[in-house]
Every structure is written in C-alpha cells, then in structure tokens.
Amino acid sequence: QVQLVESGGGLVQAGGSLRLSCAASGMFFSITSMGWYRQAPGKQRELVARITSGGSTNYADSVKGRFTISRDNAKNTVYLQMSSLKPEDTAVYYCKANLRVDIRFDDYWGKGTQVSVSS
C-alpha cells in the first residue's frame, strides 16, 4: 500500500510564506517524479511544480520566482517552499508521485492540504 501524506498547509497573510511537505511511504521500487498541484473551488486542478528523479524542475508561470520545489531522496519526501504568497494562491494543494510499484509505473495522489492566503 502506497501512501502520500501532505503537511504544512495553513492560513497566512499576503506576502507571507509556507512550506509544504509530502512524504511517500509503502512498498515501491523507485520514484520517477513528484509534484504539487492545486485546485481552487470551481476551478480545474493545475500543475504548480514538479521535480524528476534526476533533479529537473518545472513551474507554473504564476509561481516562478516565488515557489521552490526540492526533494530529500533518503526520506522519499518532496517540499514546496512558497514565498510572497498572494490571495490567488489560495487552494487545496495536492502531492502527486509517479512510482514504480512492482513492474508498473503509476501515479499516486495525496489527500491534499489547504492553503489560505488573506489580504
């Protein structure tokens, strides 16, 4: 059983910072990539940031220069450092991982963590 657990969400004022964490646990061979998505009420889920096993990263244009994704391979954990937060960053943030489980590579999702940014 594979499980992704997010933490670090909360309420912060505009201009503040938060650090999200996502830890993968369970039986899997390797991690191909991990990333963060977000979804606001009434809107589609969108990619925020992603990091591959080789360390390559990409970001949504709306968060470039403000958010930084990183990983700790020993802990099977990915982080999202969010700075200069804006009210439009308010959303549920979901962790996604592409994992090799047995002989298959599959996507797994966390339950999400709420980020709320007030003016």
Side-chain angles (χ1 to χ4, degrees), residues 54-119:
S56 178
T57 60
N58 53 43
Y59 298 89
D61 288 341
S62 60
V63 306
K64 285 182 178 179
R66 300 188 297 120
F67 292 9
T68 301
I69 190 168
S70 61
R71 59 185 169 88
D72 185 334
N73 291 338
K75 297 180 179 180
N76 294 320
T77 299
V78 65
Y79 306 94
L80 186 67
Q81 178 66 50
M82 304 184 293
S83 301
S84 301
L85 283 162
K86 304 175 181 179
E88 49 263 47
D89 294 318
T90 296
V92 177
Y93 284 68
Y94 297 90
C95 178
K96 190 188 84 170
N98 184 263
L99 308 175
R100 183 186 176 188
V101 180
D102 200 355
I103 63 172
R104 298 288 303 274
F105 291 90
D106 295 309
D107 291 335
Y108 295 85
W109 290 87
K111 298 295 183 182
T113 185
Q114 178 71 47
V115 172
S116 298
V117 184
S118 63
S119 299

